[in-house]
Each structure stands twice: as C-alpha cells, then as structure tokens.
Amino acid sequence: MAQEWYKVDNVAKVFLATNTRRDPRVFRISCTLQEEVDPALLNEALRITAPEWPQFQVTLHRGLFWHYFESTGQLPVCHPEDKAPCAPLYVPERRNRLIYRVTYFGSRINLEMFHALTDGNGGFLFLKSIVRNYLALAHPAEMQDVPTPNSASAADLEQDSFRNFYRATKRGGKEKLPKAYHLHGMRLPYDQLQFFEGHLSAKEVLAQAHALGVSLTSYLGASLMLAIYAEMPALERSKPIAVSLPVNLRNYYPSETARNFFNSVYVILTLTENDTMQTAATAFDAQLKEALTPENIKAQMDAYEKLEHVPGIRPVPLVVKNLTVKFFTALEKKHVTAVLSNMGRITLSDAMKPYIKQFAAFSSCEDLFTCVASYGDDLVLGTASSYRSTNVLRRLYRGFAEAGLQVTLYATEVEK
C-alpha cells in the first residue's frame, strides 16, 4: 500500500518551478501496435495496471514550504487523442487530478506524464505494463504466462534515490561551463512546439558509429552538432556548441525507484570548417566517456543533491525557493545548445513482440530536444522544436541520407 503523501524529489522541484506554457515539462512515450486499439480493453487494462504502480496514482499539491504528492483513488481513463503532443498536465483546470494521461489514435497508445512524477525510465516501464495488460485482455491465450514488467515493491517504487544514495562526495576540479551557442530564429506562435519523428535502421546507424570507432549516442550527438554548426552565423562560429545528455542513474546505483533519478552531462565542442564526421564524433565520444565514468557521475549526483542538506533551506517559503530555482535554471540554460536523450533499447517478452510495431518518445522544451529510442531495428528520433525554421533538422537528416542511411521522417502540423 502506498503511503498517503510524500514530498517531491530534487529534480521534480526544478520541473515544478520552471514549467511554462511552451514547456509544461511533459514527456510522451508511445507504443504502436500491429492492430487497432480497442478503447474498452484499454480502459480495462488501465484499471488493472493502476494498482501495480501506486507511485503514479497521486495528485500534486502545493504547501507553504514544499510541493507534495497525495495518494488518490482516482482511476485513469483513456481518451481519443485530441491535443497536441505533450499538452500541459499541471494546470489550474486539472487541479486534484492525476498528472498523467493515456490517449489512443488508430493503433497507437500514448502515455504522457508530468516530469515531476517520474523520468523516462519510469514512464517506459509504466507504458510496458499498460501494453502487457492490454494484450493479455486482447490475446489471453498467447499472453497468459507473460509477467508484468513491474517487479519492484511499493517501497522501492516510492524511494527518493537522490536522498537515499547521497554520500556528500566532494567533486574536485570541477570546470566552469562556457556560455554556449544558442539557436536563433523566430519561434512558433501561440507557444507551440513542432514534433518530428525520424526512423532509421538501428543496424545501419550502429555500423556507421562502429566504423568511426564511437558509440551510437556519440554518432547521433556529433551529427546534431554538425547540423547546428552548418546553420550558425559566420560571426558566431567561434562559440562552443553544448549538447546536454540526461543519464539514467539506475545504471550506477542499485535503485528500482519509479521517481525521477537522473542527472545530465554535457559534451561541449567548438567546431571549425575543417571538422568532419570523424573528427567531431571522435571528440564527442572521448568527452562523453570521461563524463560517464562512475566517479564523475556519483560526484555530480552528490553535488546536485547537496543543497537539500544545507541547514536552513527547509523552512524557506516555497515562493522564495521557486524564484531561486528559476534563477539558477536560467543560468544553466546559457550553457546548453540542445538536448539529446538516449532512452536506449526497449526490451519486451517474446510473447509481446508479434503484436508491437514500434515505440517513440518526445519531451516538451523551450528550444530543441531529441529523444532516442530503439525497438528491434527501428531507431526513432523524436524531436520537439520551438522554432519556425526546420533548417537544423533538415541538415541533420540530409547528413544521415548522404551517409547512406535509410530515413523516414514525419512532422506534426502547426498553426502559422
């Protein structure tokens, strides 16, 4: 049984203080089936799944000193998709309601979650549980022996792993991040975002990456940097390009929490006209490997959590805390050009695979944010952009095509 209430985690406080109309801090993960979705079965699957994930069956409230979650008996109900991806979830008109939504369109099931509730890892596990239970209803004979993806206890799911694994490690020699290049151009009107879904062959991309001696993430990150560099004004090409990469801390700590548990690392390169895919990818890969050493990741996590343990912070009114978080988040944004989040390879039980076509992920943002997910040989890049111009993405996918990769690209419509 989940506890009645608990405080939000460290990362959630940032999302709560900094969500905006354009970036309501919502992420979407989708599963496309091989068959049309049956709404009645999906609602039944949601009723079965909700008790398996008590961590997500909560409402969000604002106290004098902190936000907190409160358990609720509300049951999730699916609806036909009728909003733009990543539409706001934490808004006054939705007060005292669940802070996630499930929608469907054709054969696609969408799960959208307010990022204060969980991160992409928790979201994908929740979606896989929903899909597993849906398929068990639609195909009971074939799915009767398939276990639920959620094997953790309620206590493990509710754990604030930032606090649990904090060891006050001192981070020596921390280098100050430079001010990074920022994308230019007119923004889409009405606080809109445009979403792009690019499909590549995972095998082909891995072959390109291995030929360069780098990881898949480094290949994609370097490709993005080169596309940005090609669109930079000549007078600004001396500025560094900084890509922020979220890191799942469960890979470094023995945690099964369903709450947020990630940090971000940065790869920062100052490119020149002489740089090629080989030089950019090699430099990107070297920086990324250094940032991802266990020592650096754990020291960074402790540095991030340290403020929570400073005496005198707790009794500070929430409005003051939020203003402080907004200020430091704005400073942090000066060091970031774009975000690239590799969600990794999605694994499923063999019995589920014949019924599932693909997965995709997106996150709301203020600038440019790309989520990467792969299932089978389908590597999906889900990009959200606030800009009218699509030149950077055109350069990115043109580069993939020129490298011999097969590309399929979709985009949402926007109001001009």
Side-chain angles (χ1 to χ4, degrees), residues 30-46:
S30 302
C31 176
T32 302
L33 305 177
Q34 299 284 6
E35 57 196 28
E36 292 282 307
V37 173
D38 183 324
L41 289 185
L42 182 54
N43 271 326
E44 180 62 24
L46 290 175

Side-chain angles (χ1 to χ4, degrees), residues 63 69 170 211 353 367:
F69 293 121
K170 292 185 178 180
K353 292 178 181 178
D367 296 291

Side-chain angles (χ1 to χ4, degrees), residues 116-393:
L117 187 60
T118 186
D119 54 23
N121 183 82
F124 261 118
L125 286 174
F126 188 31
L127 177 63
K128 287 196 287 186
S129 293
I130 294 170
V131 173
R132 181 266 173 205
N133 290 333
Y134 174 86
L135 292 175
L137 294 169
H139 306 278
E142 294 84 351
M143 297 291 296
Q144 61 180 347
D145 295 325
V146 178
T148 176
N150 175 25
S151 59
S153 67
D156 287 335
L157 293 174
E158 293 172 354
Q159 182 189 90
D160 182 348
S161 290
F162 286 106
R163 179 172 293 276
N164 190 60
F165 293 106
Y166 175 69
R167 293 184 178 180
T169 304
K170 292 185 178 180
R171 191 178 184 186
K174 182 181 178 182
E175 185 177 348
K176 185 178 181 182
L177 297 175
K179 185 176 180 180
Y181 170 74
H182 280 259
L183 300 173
H184 295 299
M186 295 192 62
R187 307 274 182 161
L188 290 165
Y190 315 118
D191 295 313
Q192 293 178 97
L193 291 171
Q194 187 167 22
F195 295 87
F196 302 84
E197 184 176 301
H199 293 259
L200 304 167
S201 163
K203 292 179 182 177
E204 290 181 359
V205 175
L206 276 172
Q208 292 283 338
H210 292 164
L212 296 170
V214 302
S215 68
L216 183 145
T217 300
S218 295
Y219 178 80
L220 296 176
S223 298
L224 178 59
M225 279 192 170
L226 288 169
I228 292 171
Y229 179 78
E231 290 298 317
M232 290 172 69
L235 291 177
E236 295 192 79
R237 288 193 167 184
S238 60
K239 293 183 179 179
I241 300 172
V243 173
S244 173
L245 300 105
V247 177
N248 181 7
L249 293 177
R250 298 169 187 82
N251 294 330
Y252 297 85
Y253 297 91
S255 171
E256 294 185 281
T257 183
R259 304 175 75 169
N260 285 295
F261 195 42
F262 74 95
N263 269 347
S264 293
V265 299
Y266 303 90
V267 173
I268 305 169
L269 299 178
T270 303
L271 301 180
T272 70
E273 293 181 356
N274 296 323
D275 275 301
T276 63
M277 189 65 217
Q278 178 70 71
T279 61
T282 301
F284 194 106
D285 197 61
Q287 245 188 79
L288 182 58
K289 285 178 179 176
E290 175 63 22
L292 293 179
T293 61
E295 297 78 13
N296 284 339
I297 289 295
K298 292 180 179 181
Q300 182 184 14
M301 195 282 279
D302 281 0
Y304 190 80
E305 176 69 13
K306 184 177 179 179
L307 283 176
E308 290 293 302
H309 300 265
V310 174
I313 290 291
R314 292 187 181 182
V316 175
L318 181 60
V319 62
V320 177
K321 291 176 181 172
N322 282 347
L323 289 172
T324 303
V325 170
K326 286 181 181 179
F327 173 76
F328 284 105
T329 301
L331 291 180
E332 192 73 14
K333 283 183 178 180
K334 294 181 179 181
H335 308 304
V336 178
T337 307
V339 182
L340 178 67
S341 179
N342 190 348
M343 311 296 295
R345 191 174 190 82
I346 298 163
T347 58
L348 296 171
S349 167
D350 288 342
M352 295 175 65
K353 292 178 181 178
Y355 303 102
I356 295 176
K357 183 178 180 181
Q358 64 190 40
F359 287 87
F362 297 94
S363 177
S364 64
C365 65
E366 290 286 352
D367 296 291
L368 192 72
F369 195 125
T370 298
C371 295
V372 183
S374 65
Y375 171 68
D377 191 43
D378 188 29
L379 182 69
V380 182
L381 276 62
T383 300
S385 172
S386 65
Y387 296 97
R388 289 176 179 261
S389 173
T390 60
N391 287 346
V392 168
L393 291 177

Side-chain angles (χ1 to χ4, degrees), residues 94-105:
R94 288 184 51 85
R95 186 167 296 159
N96 296 325
R97 295 174 62 182
L98 295 171
I99 48 179
Y100 69 86
R101 71 166 68 90
V102 177
T103 62
Y104 60 91
F105 178 81

